[in-house]
Amino acid sequence: MIRKIPIDQLLPGMYVVDLHKRWLDHSIWIRRFKVRDDDHIWKLKDEGIVEVSIDTAKGIDLPPSPIARINAVEKRIRSLAEIKAEIPHTVSLGEERRRATKLLREASNTVSGLMLSAKAGLSVDAAQLEPVVSKMLESVTRNPDALAPLSRLKSEDAYASEHAVATAALIIAFGRQQGLPEPEIEKLALGTMVKDVGHAAIDARLITKPGVLSQAEFSIVQGHVEEGLAVLEATSRLPETSVAVVLEHHERYNGCGYPYRMAGDEISLAGRMAAIVDTYDAMTSARPYRAAMSPSLALRQLYEEGGKQYDPTLVAAFVKTVGIFPVGTLVLLESGHLAVVEQLNPDNMLTPVVLVIYHTGRQQYLTTPAQVDLSRKVGNHYGQIVRAESYERWGISALRWQPA
């Protein structure tokens, strides 16, 4: 569990994960460490650290206080109305997708405005994104199968802002799967929203250039990480977790990333998670220089790179987050029909709810598409999933058949 405490309560043996102070305001560059002794604590105080977050799973926790025990008893005797008030309000998948569509538009417009400000050399107020991030977290809490799948649908002329929003939606779902506290998830999402602000300082032709970049061109593109942080630090107060996302989303588990060539656990949890969602969304998005990859193939490639470019444990958790066949994936069934994945089955990722739309043998659409829960034998005349398919291969509109 992540716990935020004043520096005066810090003890040797505790594991620090956040110093709650901007990177440029102190000289401690190791962001995650176990406190060695009292001298170590005094060094932190000398650096102006006034509060920290600790991970009680990796180090000792605060000793329980009498007040804490009283509070625990009080929580057990809360009224039923209070308990019900804390349960998230759930809505139908269709209703949440309608809400999510509007929310994605709002988020994309906000990010676009910040990027335009950065390009014009104006102030970039990342705090504008905080209400949007809160709404996105609420959406994923109500129904996790709405926001992230819809965010995969992008228009090429707005890729930058829509990619930022899509990675935020993915990392919110990912963070919830990891059991992270909501404030930490919001910091992760804020970081993914602004992680590419530095692109504003780069010639757009380099970002979308087909083919391999020269070494000089690649060096320029790599510079967007620190350029973005410079812009944000000059105009915003970003939480440490958000800064880690900005700085580390291109670092790789085997040390072959940039800008600092960090490796393994040297990369923060935020950086390792951001690397996965950033790569996955880029792979599944159409770009001027290549077609979009199917979600299932993208997951397979990420899985194969687990232990190399990406944290293998986190890759496995991410696959569980989005599903082996993510919502919106076109799949071929044993009957020869094509279907679109509509909803995941948490108990069996191989048997989602699908909408059967097309017969490959007759090469025609069904008059009435059939919704089928593949986890149930009764009523399933189509068999199980054989493989994921490409919308382009069959000439089917991905936009038309996204679950609504």
Side-chain angles (χ1 to χ4, degrees):
M1 184 179 75
I2 306 299
R3 183 193 297 276
K4 188 174 180 181
I5 62 172
I7 190 68
D8 289 335
Q9 292 183 355
L10 190 64
L11 299 171
M14 289 183 171
Y15 192 87
V16 175
V17 295
D18 194 338
L19 296 174
H20 297 290
K21 195 174 182 66
R22 298 191 313 166
W23 288 27
L24 300 179
D25 291 344
H26 60 76
S27 61
I28 301 169
W29 293 103
I30 299 176
R31 295 171 303 284
R32 298 150 55 86
F33 54 86
K34 182 169 284 189
V35 178
R36 297 185 301 272
D37 48 35
D38 289 335
D39 287 341
H40 197 177
I41 296 172
W42 279 110
K43 182 179 179 182
L44 296 177
K45 291 181 178 180
D46 288 343
E47 291 286 346
I49 308 299
V50 296
E51 57 185 2
V52 299
S53 285
I54 60 172
D55 186 343
T56 59
K58 295 185 176 181
I60 66 171
D61 195 359
L62 285 173
S65 66
I67 294 177
R69 287 194 290 270
I70 292 171
N71 288 341
V73 172
E74 288 179 348
K75 285 182 179 178
R76 293 177 189 170
I77 59 175
R78 289 178 302 167
S79 69
L80 182 61
E82 288 176 303
I83 295 172
K84 284 184 175 180
E86 292 182 1
I87 299 175
H89 176 63
T90 57
V91 298
S92 70
L93 190 55
E95 172 60 26
E96 190 55 44
R97 282 177 180 146
R98 283 188 284 275
R99 294 186 187 186
T101 299
K102 295 178 181 178
L103 177 55
L104 289 171
R105 191 179 305 116
E106 176 188 351
S108 181
N109 289 340
T110 305
V111 173
S112 293
L114 294 182
M115 288 184 167
L116 287 172
S117 295
K119 194 162 190 174
L122 302 176
S123 174
V124 177
D125 184 8
Q128 292 180 34
L129 290 166
E130 291 176 358
V132 176
V133 167
S134 295
K135 292 178 187 177
M136 292 175 72
L137 180 56
E138 291 169 3
S139 175
V140 175
T141 301
R142 285 192 297 263
N143 202 312
D145 290 333
L147 189 70
L150 283 174
S151 70
R152 256 202 347 261
L153 302 176
K154 301 180 183 70
S155 53
E156 287 192 16
D157 59 346
Y159 173 78
S161 61
E162 292 178 356
H163 171 65
V165 174
T167 51
L170 285 168
I171 212 163
I172 287 172
F174 197 5
R176 291 184 74 248
Q177 191 277 338
Q178 289 289 290
L180 298 178
E182 289 192 357
E184 194 69 9
I185 294 174
E186 290 181 343
K187 294 174 188 176
L188 287 169
L190 181 61
T192 57
M193 288 274 218
V194 298
K195 69 186 185 314
D196 291 326
V197 163
H199 280 168
I202 299 174
D203 188 334
R205 289 173 296 183
L206 279 183
I207 305 297
T208 59
K209 178 185 174 181
V212 179
L213 297 176
S214 69
Q215 186 60 47
E217 290 171 332
F218 188 52
S219 295
I220 293 172
V221 171
Q222 287 181 322
H224 86 271
V225 173
E226 292 181 313
E227 183 72 33
L229 184 62
V231 170
L232 293 165
E233 287 287 356
T235 57
S236 308
R237 281 191 59 84
L238 282 181
E240 200 78 14
T241 298
S242 304
V243 171
V245 170
V246 175
L247 281 181
E248 300 173 14
H249 67 282
H250 285 299
E251 298 291 351
R252 293 296 179 258
Y253 200 67
N254 58 5
C256 67
Y258 65 87
Y260 306 117
R261 301 189 71 82
M262 302 163 75
D265 288 344
E266 290 178 336
I267 309 169
S268 68
L269 175 63
R272 284 176 281 145
M273 291 175 68
I276 292 171
V277 300
D278 182 63
T279 303
Y280 172 78
D281 187 68
M283 293 167 76
T284 55
S285 301
R287 304 295 288 123
Y289 45 85
R290 59 156 177 77
M293 187 180 294
S294 75
S296 295
L297 181 56
L299 288 173
R300 185 186 310 166
Q301 290 196 10
L302 280 171
Y303 193 80
E304 289 172 352
E305 289 296 323
K308 301 172 187 175
Q309 295 202 56
Y310 310 101
D311 184 326
T313 303
L314 287 178
V315 169
F318 183 69
V319 172
K320 188 173 182 180
T321 300
V322 298
I324 296 172
F325 300 105
V327 172
T329 302
L330 186 70
V331 294
L332 176 67
L333 303 178
E334 291 174 322
S335 62
H337 289 82
L338 294 176
V340 179
V341 177
E342 285 218 310
Q343 194 169 348
L344 301 181
N345 178 359
D347 296 327
N348 189 340
M349 292 292 180
L350 294 172
T351 58
V353 176
V354 300
L355 186 69
V356 184
I357 63 171
Y358 189 85
H359 194 290
T360 59
R362 294 193 291 267
Q363 295 189 4
Q364 64 183 34
Y365 289 99
L366 274 63
T367 305
T368 304
Q371 189 180 68
V372 181
D373 186 343
L374 298 182
S375 67
R376 298 180 180 178
K377 293 182 179 179
V378 178
N380 178 10
H381 311 296
Y382 302 94
Q384 297 302 316
I385 294 174
V386 177
R387 62 175 178 269
E389 283 285 354
S390 163
Y391 283 97
E392 290 76 18
R393 177 189 173 192
W394 294 97
I396 295 174
S397 167
L399 183 61
R400 175 187 175 189
W401 290 107
Q402 286 306 299

